[in-house]
Amino acid sequence: MANRGFQRPKVGSILSEQTLKYVSLAIGIVVMVLSGSLFSFASFGTDLKARFGFNSSNINLLAAIGDTAMYVGFLIVGPIYDHYGERWTLITASVLTLLGYGGIYIAYAKAWGGLGFLMVLYCLSGVASTAGYLAALAANMANFSAATSGTVSGVLLAFFGLSATLFSQIKTHLFSGDNELADPSSGFKGSKATQDYLLFLTIITTAIYAIAAIFMVKINKPVVKTLESGLSSSTTVNEITEKQEAAQTDSVRPVHTLSRSTTFTPSMKDGRDPVVHLENWNPSGTAFESSHLPGDQILEDTTPAPPSAPVTSTDSTKAVFNPYLTSVDMKPKQLLFEATFWFFVIAQVSQQGFSYINNVDSIIHAILDPLDSNTVARATSLTGLHVTLISVGNCIGRLASGIISDWVIARYRISRSIFFLGSEVLILIPLLIMGFSTPIVSLVGLVISSCLIGATYGATGALFASMTRDFFGNKYYGSACGMVMVLNGANPFIANQLYGVFYDRAVQKMPPATHAQESPMACVGRSCYDSSFKVAALLQLVCILSAGLLFWAHMRKGKKLMQKMLTESV
């Protein structure tokens, strides 16, 4: 071919496959840290507000556009990853972040462009963040065994959660602007340090995404074809853990391994082929005769002999089939006919904490005494503390949910979605605290809210990554992520706009004495924030109901699959 572009170094000829896996994981961690830079918006949003003369609704709209772009961006970068791989996905991230952050830097430096222009640029930054996120996540999920997907996604997303703290600390200590001298000849508001920080973001994200595109590798695993030439010839990759390999060499032959990337095929008649495939197969056998959810027939109409199954015991004679460590590689169109998909989509719109995360600084100002001369300094300190609490909680939630869910799903054969349901319930607690605390939320209540929102937001994010693979397989992972996450794009937009509307309305009702103490946009009291969190709490009830239905549907489907395997083994 005349135009091949740059060629990836053949690192596989130098490093072993095992080493490549961990090198790619390390690169993925760095990419994840950079992809979370979008969450540092609160650290420079105030300067954007000052330089462009925005009000609270404007700045919330801008923040919401970036958050929305991250989710809607999955529909763009998901197919790019599925068809062209992690290399071109990361190149996309590098180009878009250059245009996005670079454009914001220029606009801030010149103070031109207005809200609409900044929205376009921040949208590009959001899509770039998604591209880096998906490339790092999907490539590493494919590299590691099915039994550790929760842990792998938890580790990666823990660093994604920590990125807000990292970049906020970089902004605070390296680009604070505390020692800046006012330039009387300049008509610009906002610090010069924020301008330098935006340039820093532009350079570091663009460069590292480009470097990662060269060195991150998704290992090409051996392909096993179906046995019957007259049926579907699609292929898939079998994943076998070290425990399972050891068990299969035992004198007592255990049940074979059916991995999460494995799919069903009618060619499995003797139980020896560890790979089975479903696509394009319409068996003539009888279906399961019980009431079922839409989409259940995808598993019910499949009646192979007992296939390989994840071994959940170190004793090879006690190998058991685990339906919750088994998935079907579904094409994007098939997802639309799956009840679990729709329950997952609705439950996943659980980002009610976004308005809290993006507005924690204004909430803190609202609960402090405006007559205290130390309020500004105290607000700055408390904002840094709560951003850190949210970020650390995010990190712990992602890591813990991944590791614990891997252990529980293997030991007790239960759907990972039980943890998702638990996280949805816990998210409701801080929303109720913020919405109904009187006369204002206490500092203790604020600490509890920051910790819970950080932890639950992190947990749902990590569980989303592994649950998407549990439910829909690995072959079309990028597209599946996009389809599940697309409605999430509307949630931060609506939540942030609601917060901005209620906040601005409260500002207009503030007495003149309050305005005199701080800026004209100052807002003090619970009316600044409580209404938006009451609305968020009501929306969260819908998410909890959907998460419960998701758990029920997946457990039911797993039990049916288990029963089918047991019936066929008789």
Side-chain angles (χ1 to χ4, degrees):
M1 251 194 224
N3 183 17
R4 293 177 179 265
F6 70 89
Q7 298 295 315
R8 187 200 300 271
K10 296 183 178 179
V11 292
S13 59
I14 303 174
L15 303 175
S16 68
E17 181 176 298
Q18 192 73 1
T19 303
L20 279 176
K21 284 166 55 175
Y22 287 99
V23 168
S24 291
L25 179 61
I27 295 172
I29 287 172
V30 176
V31 169
M32 279 293 187
V33 170
L34 293 176
S35 297
S37 62
L38 207 71
F39 294 115
S40 68
F41 180 84
S43 66
F44 61 86
T46 301
D47 280 331
L48 286 178
K49 186 176 179 180
R51 177 151 297 194
F52 291 94
F54 295 153
N55 60 25
S56 182
S57 293
N58 295 150
I59 208 70
N60 272 282
L61 176 60
L62 182 58
I65 285 296
D67 296 334
T68 299
M70 287 184 66
Y71 293 108
V72 177
F74 274 103
L75 291 179
I76 300 171
V77 300
I80 292 176
Y81 175 82
D82 288 341
H83 291 90
Y84 302 104
E86 70 286 351
R87 169 187 168 187
W88 285 104
T89 307
L90 285 165
I91 291 174
T92 300
S94 183
V95 172
L96 291 181
T97 199
L98 175 62
L99 295 174
Y101 279 141
I104 294 173
Y105 159 73
I106 294 172
Y108 184 88
K110 303 296 183 182
W112 55 263
L115 180 61
F117 184 57
L118 288 178
M119 286 168 61
V120 172
L121 296 175
Y122 205 48
C123 180
L124 293 176
S125 300
V127 177
S129 176
T130 299
Y133 171 101
L134 181 60
L137 179 64
N140 282 287
M141 291 280 278
N143 284 349
F144 287 85
S145 70
T148 60
S149 67
T151 302
V152 171
S153 64
V155 168
L156 287 168
L157 295 177
F159 283 93
F160 182 73
L162 276 176
S163 60
T165 293
L166 175 63
F167 282 99
S168 292
Q169 294 301 316
I170 289 174
K171 176 68 172 67
T172 299
H173 296 289
L174 300 181
F175 301 96
S176 65
D178 290 341
N179 298 322
E180 283 187 16
L181 297 177
D183 184 359
S185 63
S186 174
F188 294 157
K189 296 181 180 179
S191 69
K192 173 70 165 53
T194 292
Q195 178 179 321
D196 296 336
Y197 175 69
L198 290 169
L199 178 60
F200 165 77
L201 279 182
T202 303
I203 294 172
I204 192 171
T205 52
T206 302
I208 293 185
Y209 282 151
I211 293 170
I214 299 173
F215 293 103
M216 183 178 287
V217 176
K218 182 169 74 172
I219 299 169
N220 294 320
K221 298 179 181 179
V223 173
V224 183
K225 296 184 178 180
T226 55
L227 300 180
E228 293 186 7
S229 58
L231 296 171
S232 171
S233 60
S234 300
T235 60
T236 187
V237 176
N238 185 48
E239 298 178 8
I240 302 177
T241 63
E242 293 177 2
K243 282 186 178 180
Q244 294 161 357
E245 289 175 343
Q248 289 181 357
T249 59
D250 196 275
S251 57
V252 180
R253 183 184 180 90
V255 183
H256 287 283
T257 302
L258 177 61
S259 76
R260 273 189 277 187
S261 66
T262 303
T263 47
F264 292 125
T265 182
S267 62
M268 275 202 58
K269 298 300 182 184
D270 58 1
R272 298 193 180 203
D273 183 0
V275 177
V276 283
H277 196 80
L278 169 67
E279 294 174 8
N280 303 322
W281 179 45
N282 296 307
S284 58
T286 58
F288 215 73
E289 296 181 1
S290 64
S291 60
H292 59 271
L293 296 167
D296 277 354
Q297 67 272 11
I298 288 181
L299 288 180
E300 291 177 2
D301 291 348
T302 307
T303 54
S308 342
V311 177
T312 55
S313 171
T314 54
D315 183 351
S316 63
T317 65
K318 297 181 180 179
V320 292
F321 174 72
N322 191 335
Y324 305 108
L325 282 177
T326 306
S327 70
V328 176
D329 282 334
M330 295 183 190
K331 292 181 177 179
K333 289 182 180 179
Q334 289 178 302
L335 269 60
L336 300 177
F337 301 96
E338 276 286 297
T340 49
F341 168 74
W342 291 108
F343 291 146
F344 196 15
V345 167
I346 297 172
Q348 185 61 26
V349 187
S350 59
Q351 313 304 328
Q352 312 300 340
F354 256 122
S355 57
Y356 181 92
I357 293 171
N358 286 332
N359 294 284
V360 66
D361 56 339
S362 65
I363 293 172
I364 289 171
H365 276 92
I367 66 174
L368 295 179
D369 182 2
L371 301 178
D372 187 346
S373 60
N374 295 321
T375 291
V376 175
R378 192 179 177 201
T380 302
S381 175
L382 285 174
T383 298
L385 169 65
H386 283 274
V387 169
T388 300
L389 288 176
I390 293 168
S391 188
V392 171
N394 198 326
C395 172
I396 294 173
R398 292 176 190 270
L399 192 59
S401 64
I403 294 173
I404 295 173
S405 66
D406 271 349
W407 181 77
V408 170
I409 196 175
R411 184 176 180 85
Y412 296 105
R413 287 192 291 171
I414 188 171
S415 172
R416 196 188 306 272
S417 57
I418 185 64
F419 293 94
F420 192 82
L421 173 59
S423 297
E424 297 284 6
V425 173
L426 289 175
I427 289 176
L428 184 62
I429 296 175
L431 300 180
L432 294 175
I433 290 174
M434 297 301 301
F436 295 94
S437 295
T438 56
I440 58 172
V441 64
S442 66
L443 290 178
V444 173
L446 204 64
V447 168
I448 293 172
S449 297
S450 292
C451 291
L452 282 178
I453 284 178
T456 52
Y457 178 72
T460 54
L463 291 168
F464 150 75
S466 49
M467 285 168 61
T468 300
R469 188 177 177 184
D470 289 346
F471 298 156
F472 313 124
N474 208 40
K475 187 173 182 180
Y476 302 99
Y477 185 79
S479 296
C481 285
M483 293 176 69
V484 171
M485 295 292 276
V486 63
L487 288 185
N488 269 13
N491 186 272
F493 178 83
I494 295 172
N496 277 351
Q497 280 302 97
L498 279 174
Y499 183 91
V501 168
F502 285 120
Y503 184 91
D504 289 339
R505 184 179 298 174
V507 167
Q508 294 172 3
K509 295 179 180 180
M510 288 291 105
T514 303
H515 293 295
Q517 297 300 321
E518 297 181 283
S519 71
M521 303 307 298
C523 187
V524 179
R526 66 190 297 261
S527 62
C528 304
Y529 59 82
D530 65 342
S531 296
S532 62
F533 286 104
K534 288 175 182 177
V535 174
L538 288 175
L539 293 174
Q540 186 61 23
L541 292 177
V542 177
C543 298
I544 291 172
L545 175 61
S546 187
L549 290 172
L550 175 65
F551 172 67
W552 170 76
H554 195 222
M555 286 294 293
R556 189 169 183 268
K557 184 172 291 187
K559 288 177 180 178
K560 286 186 176 183
L561 181 57
M562 171 68 87
Q563 185 176 350
K564 187 171 291 294
M565 294 300 102
L566 293 175
T567 300
E568 292 295 329
S569 65
V570 176

